[in-house]
Amino acid sequence: MARISFIGLGAMGLRMATRLAETDGIELTVYDLDPARMASLEGKARLATSIADAAAGAEGIFSVVPADQHTLAVVGELEKVIQPGQAFVDFSTIGPATIEAVGRRLAEKGAQTISAGMTKSLTGAATGTLSLFVGGPDEIPAALKPAFDAMASDIMMVGSLGAAKALKLVNNMVVATLDVAMTEALALGAQFGIPFEQVTGALAAGGGDNWPLHNHIVPHVLPDVLGPGFFGTRFLMKDLKLYTAFARSQNLPAFFAGAGLAAYRGAAAHGFGEHYHMIIVRWYERGARVGERPASPLPDGLSAAEVTARLVAGVAAIQALVSAEALRILARMGLGQKAAAFYLDSGSAGNDSLRALVRTLEGGNEEAVTPARLLADLDQVAALADKADVPGAVFEVGRHLAASLIDRHGEVTDLWRIAAA
C-alpha cells in the first residue's frame, strides 16, 4: 500500500484527494484547516488533526494550497517532524524561487522535494486526467507512482524544481491571454450582431483553435455558466502577479499578463472576484455596453463572415505572440523550444501556434509567422474596434508588440527565430 497524506482540500485538492481515496493500493490521510472539507472524506481516508499528524508514516506528503506563504507555512510545520526518506510533493501554483528554497530546507532534513505544476483544471482533477509538469527527480519514486497515475494522464519530467513551477506560471499566463483575446473577440463580434457561436466555430476551424476555447469558452461562456465554484477571478489574478514577478526576475517584460491583470481587476471591481474567471466576458460587454446599445453596422464592403475571419486572425496573432513570449522566458529556465512547446501544448495552454512550431522543428514545411503579418492582422481588428467603439485592449498590446519586433528584427524574420534569440 502506498501511504499518502494530502494537505489542502480546496477546489482542486478535494477532487485530487477523492481520486486517491477511491484508488486501490493507496492508504490516504487528509488534512485541511476547514473540518467541513475533511468531513466529506470521512470513511474514505484517515482525517488528521494537524500537519504533523498527517505527515506521520507517510511516504509522500502532497500539498495543494493557495499561495507561496501557505506552502511556506506547511513546510515550516513539516520541518519539525519530517523524516529522512519522506517526500514532500507540492502541487501549488507558487514562484520558482519559493520551491527551490523549500527543496534546500527539506534536503537538510534528509527529505526529498518534488515540484509539480498541474493543468487541465477541475475536470482534470476530478477525472484523473491532469497534465503534470514534474521537477526535481529524474523519475517519479516507485512508492508514489500509483498516486501520480491516479491523478494524471500526462506526466512530464521537466528538470529542476523551479522549471516545473515556471511552466505552470507560463501556462496560466498563456491561458489567461487566450481567454482575454477570445472574450474580447466575442464582445466585438456581438456588437456587430455576430453570435458567439459563429465566432467560436470559426476559431476552432480557422487557425485560432486552443484548449481554453473548448474547455472555458464553449462549456462556460456560451451557456452562461460563470458563477462561483470554479477557478475564480482572484485566483487567476494571483497567478498573473506571480508570472509578472517571475518575468521581472528574468529581466523580461510581461505585456500580456499586464493587460490581462488589468482586465481581471476590472471584473473584480464589478463584483466578479469570486466568480469563474471567464466572467471576464461580462466585463467586456458592460464596458462597451454591448447589448445595451444598438448593434454597429458592418464596415463598408465586409460581410459578417469576413468580420468573423478578421477576428479569428486577430486571436491567432495574439496566440502566436504570447506563445513566443512563453518560449522565450522558458528558455531562461534551460528549456529548449521543442520541449517547451511540447510541454505547454500538452497542458491547458495548448494551441495551434505551438503545434505548428513543433511540426516546424520536426521538419515540417509550415508558413513562416512574421511580425509584419501579425501586425497586419491586428491592425484589421483594431479598425473593427474603432468602428464598433469596443476597447480591444489585448489586440492593441499585440499591435505594439509586433511593431517593436519589426523595429528590432525586421518585417520578415520568423517569430520562432526571434523567440529563440
Side-chain angles (χ1 to χ4, degrees):
M1 295 285 283
R3 299 185 304 279
I4 305 297
S5 69
F6 206 105
I7 298 168
L9 300 176
M12 291 291 287
L14 180 58
R15 288 165 171 81
M16 295 163 70
T18 300
R19 283 284 304 177
L20 295 179
E22 296 172 349
T23 299
D24 292 338
I26 293 176
E27 182 182 305
L28 183 66
T29 297
V30 297
Y31 178 73
D32 192 277
L33 291 174
D34 183 352
R37 293 176 179 172
M38 289 199 293
S40 66
L41 286 170
E42 189 167 6
K44 298 180 179 180
R46 184 175 78 86
L47 309 187
T49 58
S50 65
I51 290 174
D53 181 33
E59 294 167 292
I61 304 161
F62 292 7
S63 178
V64 185
V65 292
D68 294 56
Q69 65 267 29
H70 304 106
T71 294
L72 293 174
V74 169
V75 171
E77 293 299 311
L78 285 178
E79 282 180 310
K80 303 172 186 177
V81 297
I82 200 164
Q83 299 297 308
Q86 287 185 299
F88 173 67
V89 185
D90 185 77
F91 292 89
S92 312
T93 302
I94 59 175
T98 298
I99 195 63
E100 295 281 5
V102 165
R104 291 191 294 270
R105 287 168 59 178
L106 294 184
E108 293 177 0
K109 304 292 183 179
Q112 182 181 33
T113 297
I114 299 175
S115 173
M118 53 186 178
T119 76
K120 303 240 177 120
S121 70
L122 296 177
T123 300
T127 59
T129 56
L130 291 170
S131 287
L132 296 178
F133 309 127
V134 181
D138 292 331
E139 59 184 11
I140 304 296
L144 307 185
K145 192 71 165 56
F148 274 80
D149 287 343
M151 295 185 296
S153 55
D154 293 301
I155 300 172
M156 294 159 277
M157 310 305 294
V158 301
S160 69
L161 294 173
K165 298 305 185 188
L167 269 162
K168 168 63 174 181
L169 294 180
V170 171
N171 177 91
N172 282 18
M173 181 277 295
V174 173
V175 169
T177 301
L178 296 178
D179 284 339
V180 167
M182 288 187 291
T183 50
E184 284 206 88
L186 290 175
L188 181 51
Q191 184 54 34
F192 284 117
I194 301 171
F196 280 5
E197 291 81 1
Q198 182 172 329
V199 177
T200 56
L203 282 168
D209 199 16
N210 56 72
W211 193 92
L213 170 64
H214 298 283
N215 293 275
H216 295 173
I217 301 288
V218 172
H220 288 277
V221 174
L222 298 190
D224 196 25
V225 181
L226 300 169
F230 303 98
F231 187 69
T233 297
R234 293 196 186 279
F235 276 109
L236 186 54
M237 290 168 64
K238 181 266 294 184
D239 290 356
L240 290 174
K241 291 174 188 176
L242 279 173
Y243 174 81
T244 301
F246 172 52
R248 190 170 298 166
S249 75
Q250 303 299 313
N251 295 318
L252 290 173
F255 297 115
F256 291 117
L261 184 56
Y264 284 109
R265 284 193 190 115
H270 276 256
F272 297 141
E274 308 309 318
H275 285 63
Y276 182 50
H277 73 278
M278 292 311 302
I279 196 73
I280 193 73
V281 70
R282 301 290 171 255
W283 157 250
Y284 286 120
E285 288 174 337
R286 290 186 182 188
R289 297 181 57 240
V290 175
E292 297 178 26
R293 58 190 171 109
S296 301
L298 291 169
D300 292 341
L302 291 181
S303 67
E306 289 168 325
V307 169
T308 301
R310 292 188 178 190
L311 294 175
V312 170
V315 171
I318 296 298
Q319 191 168 263
L321 287 167
V322 74
S323 296
E325 178 182 328
L327 298 181
R328 188 178 183 200
I329 196 168
L330 288 172
R332 301 288 177 94
M333 300 298 293
L335 291 170
Q337 270 196 329
K338 186 175 180 179
F342 173 78
Y343 292 147
L344 290 173
D345 193 47
S346 299
S348 52
N351 65 70
D352 277 347
S353 292
L354 291 171
R355 288 186 280 274
L357 172 60
V358 171
R359 290 194 297 270
T360 298
L361 294 174
E362 290 177 343
N365 187 25
E366 298 289 322
E367 182 181 357
V369 180
T370 66
R373 172 183 146 196
L374 298 176
L375 182 57
D377 289 340
L378 291 166
D379 280 345
Q380 289 189 329
V381 178
L384 294 175
D386 282 339
K387 180 73 173 176
D389 288 330
V390 172
V394 74
F395 298 109
E396 289 295 340
V397 170
R399 287 175 77 200
H400 295 293
L401 179 55
S404 71
L405 293 176
I406 291 172
D407 178 59
R408 285 179 285 157
H409 302 282
E411 292 188 346
V412 296
T413 303
D414 194 325
L415 182 65
W416 308 121
R417 289 182 57 194
I418 295 171

